[in-house]
Amino acid sequence: MARCAATATLACVLGLGLVAPAYADTASDLAAARTKLEQIGTQTQQIYDELATQTQALDQTAGEITQKQQEIADGQAKLSTYVAGEYKTGGLSLLQVLTGVDDLSDMLNRLFYYGKVSDKQAQTIQEVKELKQQLTDKQTEQEKNVAATQKKVDELNAQQAEAQNVVNSLDSQLQAELAAEAEANAALQAGINASTAEKATVSNETAGTTENTNNGGQTSNNNNQGGNTPAPTPAPAPTPQPSTPAPAPTPSAPSQSVDGGSVVSRAYSKLGCAYSWGGIGPNSFDCSGFVSYCLTGRYCRLGTTGTFMGWTRVSDPQPGDVVVNSYHTGIYIGGGQMIHASDYNTGVIISSVAAGMNNNYIFVRY
């Protein structure tokens, strides 16, 4: 009875232990953190593009200022040449205009031209001032925009660094939890093996006890019959054989005979399926459950990412090989692309290997 109770207790413990992986929450948090990091990266790229556009506009305004200043200088030179040619003086002043006046009509003509030239000079100077002020105002506004955009870039860079730290921290935490989970599973498997062997021993002992009891009863009944005819000699009871503990299940080993085309075809057939933690199909998968289906064609689980990382590495990956790191895995389809059960938001998708694995991965062959 004590052994039976112990077996039942162990079964309950094992059943409860396999309901929900301890690392599920951490893995979910890690997936969310990676998604946030990608979103920040996208925003940062957009802001960088905006900053480049604004900087280009600012450079263009500076070029316009330089061009207009040159145009003004050219105009003033032409005006000076015109005045010098008109009055043959090389310069112009009221005294020079009135010098050598022969009559009133000549004086009035000279004053008229002097006034026109003076007005034109004044107008040119005013236009220069207005144009320079407009360009200066425009340049000031653009500099403010560039400064504001640069501030956004700095803020996003800080957010990106913080998000990367969160991803790294959660990744480390997940690895520790996965290691602890693997150790716990090994202990649970050992308990299962011990319980199976113990149950077999108890069953054999119980069978032997029952058989001996029955044989003993038969002998007692023959002795009480009271006749002269001796009772027939009972056949000897079979000698109980020692029980053999059930062998411990061994993990699936790579067969090295999987057809890459079939693996890729199965991967394509599940595009669009949902992501679910612990899912092995047929309509939802987690990353390792998806890879297991693609490799075997069965809705089963060959292992976790830790299992896959122990397989034979390849340096010349072919379609149908497995791309894996410590926390994610998928099926390589060639051309730097992979199909994988990404996360709750996207499910089973095609993406570049670098994007799906965060530039940290190996290729292995089943």
Side-chain angles (χ1 to χ4, degrees), residues 199 224 255 295:
K199 185 176 181 180
N224 291 333
S255 65
L295 293 176

Side-chain angles (χ1 to χ4, degrees), residues 238-283:
T239 303
Q241 298 296 319
S243 61
T244 302
T250 58
S252 299
S255 65
Q256 304 297 332
S257 61
V258 174
D259 176 63
S262 299
V263 174
V264 171
S265 296
R266 286 192 284 265
Y268 271 102
S269 72
K270 295 301 180 180
L271 283 174
C273 285
Y275 177 93
S276 66
W277 183 261
I280 57 172
N283 299 316

Side-chain angles (χ1 to χ4, degrees), residues 142-309:
Q142 289 175 332
E143 288 174 347
K144 289 181 180 179
N145 292 337
V146 169
T149 304
Q150 182 63 55
K151 183 178 179 181
K152 291 180 182 178
V153 169
D154 295 340
E155 291 174 351
L156 283 172
N157 284 336
Q159 293 178 19
Q160 191 172 34
E162 182 178 356
Q164 185 63 63
N165 289 336
V166 172
V167 168
N168 294 341
S169 176
L170 287 172
D171 187 27
S172 298
Q173 181 179 346
L174 179 61
Q175 297 316 306
E177 291 178 358
L178 285 171
E181 188 76 11
E183 184 177 352
N185 286 340
L188 290 174
Q189 187 62 60
I192 292 174
N193 296 341
S195 175
T196 302
E198 185 179 19
K199 185 176 181 180
T201 301
V202 171
S203 177
N204 288 334
E205 290 177 354
T206 302
T209 302
T210 302
E211 187 173 359
N212 290 334
T213 301
N214 290 337
N215 288 337
Q218 182 179 358
T219 301
S220 173
N221 290 337
N222 288 337
N223 290 336
N224 291 333
Q225 288 177 356
N228 295 325
T229 304
T233 303
T239 303
Q241 298 296 319
S243 61
T244 302
T250 58
S252 299
S255 65
Q256 304 297 332
S257 61
V258 174
D259 176 63
S262 299
V263 174
V264 171
S265 296
R266 286 192 284 265
Y268 271 102
S269 72
K270 295 301 180 180
L271 283 174
C273 285
Y275 177 93
S276 66
W277 183 261
I280 57 172
N283 299 316
S284 64
F285 301 86
D286 64 9
C287 62
S288 57
F290 173 74
V291 168
S292 298
Y293 165 74
C294 294
L295 293 176
T296 65
R298 303 189 305 273
Y299 299 117
C300 64
R301 184 177 299 280
L302 292 174
T304 65
T305 54
T307 305
F308 303 158
M309 290 186 72

